[in-house]
Amino acid sequence: MSTPKTQFWKDKTVLVTGATGLLGGWLVKELLPLGANVVALIRDGNPRSMLNSDGLLARISTVSGSIEDFNQVRRAMCEYEVHTVFHLAAQPIVGVAKLDPMGTLETNVRGTWNILEAARLAKVPQVLVASSDKAYGSSDTLPYTENHPLQGRFPYDVSKSCADLIATMYANAYGLPVVITRCANLFGGGDLNFSRLVPDLIRRTLAGKPFLIRSNGLFVRDYVYVRDAVAGLLRLTEALAGDPSLAGQAFNFSMGVRQSVLELVDQVLEAMGRTDLKPIILNQASLEIKEQFMSAQKARDVLDWECRYAFPQALAETIAWYRSFFEATPDGRLLARTADSGA
């Protein structure tokens, strides 16, 4: 068992990449009251991200730069004497990866080896790399367990398979204390990437517009609420500090809720009282895995991690966050792009 987290994180310097994203924002929000000194490597500012809207930015240190810039990454780790790196930054969108495979590989693959090499040279005590269930690729044997081969075939999936394997290489070849997380589809308040299914679905429903499903609606995914995912990241890094044998290992985090896009859409519409808004099925999706869901049994057994939020509760909190967000910032963004992540 690791040191209780309320003591473990006190006065430790933590570098977070991807801090302006969904997972990164909630992670920073959790780390600060635990007493951590947070440093965020930020490429692009977003005035509506949680770092700004929740007043977090004024409470952390920031380094301007990208994970593709090795010298900047190494400087940040050395100058701030970083204890833990949470590497969450990535190009996360399947459709963007299809349009721009080179840019996606630069960010997700080169960016990962830059982080890990800098951590090795700076002798950072522990590193966490956020991978994805997409790293597994397509499989006839489900649910995914951590022993499944990494066999991405499409641009985004390949980028995550590669990053995952590079992290394992650094653990095995160089003894770097790095662990890997593979989360199911993340959702929760604060996700301002409206090319994703859940935020775009809620946004369009609030605007009284039917949701546009790019696929046939039958693609199957599972999900994990962002607050449960953050708890898993913290729990894993705390466990790594007490058990170095965890280095190089991966852990799945998932609610274990397996559902099709249409099933998810129906649940959101019912929760929002808008079952009259029937979705429009475009059936245009390509280069995506049709069925993915995973087992989080290892995280339960080894880390004593469990989802604290049932799906209906997590969904209700998420919807409430977006209602509040759009009431405070009404503008034309309610009717932007269709969903681009398994929809």
Side-chain angles (χ1 to χ4, degrees), residues 138-321:
S138 182
S139 175
D140 294 329
T141 305
L142 295 172
Y144 299 123
T145 68
E146 291 81 357
N147 294 324
H148 268 65
L150 304 180
Q151 50 188 15
R153 294 293 181 268
F154 303 135
Y156 177 75
D157 312 336
V158 167
S159 78
K160 301 309 285 187
S161 295
C162 290
D164 206 311
L165 287 168
I166 290 168
T168 303
M169 178 197 76
Y170 267 90
N172 292 330
Y174 301 104
L176 186 69
V178 55
V179 286
I180 302 151
T181 61
R182 299 172 188 151
C183 288
N185 285 2
L186 285 161
F187 73 97
D191 187 358
L192 301 184
N193 193 328
F194 292 103
S195 62
R196 290 197 182 105
L197 191 158
V198 172
D200 193 41
L201 170 56
I202 294 173
R203 174 179 60 170
R204 292 187 67 88
T205 304
L206 288 172
K209 300 295 182 180
F211 182 60
L212 307 179
I213 299 177
R214 291 182 307 109
S215 70
N216 59 10
L218 302 179
F219 285 18
V220 171
R221 299 289 186 265
D222 65 352
Y223 297 85
V224 63
Y225 187 38
V226 65
R227 298 178 71 178
D228 282 324
V230 166
L233 268 59
L234 294 174
R235 185 70 187 88
L236 178 53
T237 44
E238 292 161 18
L240 175 63
D243 184 0
S245 71
L246 294 178
Q249 293 192 40
F251 287 81
N252 292 342
F253 294 100
S254 168
M255 279 183 158
V257 178
R258 173 179 174 264
Q259 52 191 323
S260 70
V261 172
L262 276 171
E263 289 171 334
L264 177 62
V265 170
D266 287 344
Q267 288 186 74
V268 173
L269 293 177
E270 183 174 354
M272 297 181 71
R274 292 306 309 262
T275 55
D276 58 306
L277 290 176
K278 302 301 181 185
I280 298 172
I281 298 176
L282 302 176
N283 200 17
Q284 296 173 347
S286 64
L287 298 186
E288 294 183 29
I289 299 166
K290 290 184 169 36
E291 187 165 1
Q292 289 188 301
F293 57 98
M294 64 201 324
S295 168
Q297 189 62 48
K298 181 180 178 182
R300 289 192 289 270
D301 291 345
V302 176
L303 305 176
D304 195 27
W305 173 87
E306 292 281 356
C307 285
R308 297 172 296 172
Y309 298 87
F311 191 80
Q313 179 188 2
L315 188 58
E317 286 193 5
T318 302
I319 292 169
W321 189 95

Side-chain angles (χ1 to χ4, degrees), residues 314-336:
L315 188 58
E317 286 193 5
T318 302
I319 292 169
W321 189 95
Y322 284 103
R323 286 190 191 277
S324 177
F325 173 78
F326 283 117
E327 286 173 0
T329 58
D331 58 32
R333 291 176 304 115
L334 278 171
L335 298 178

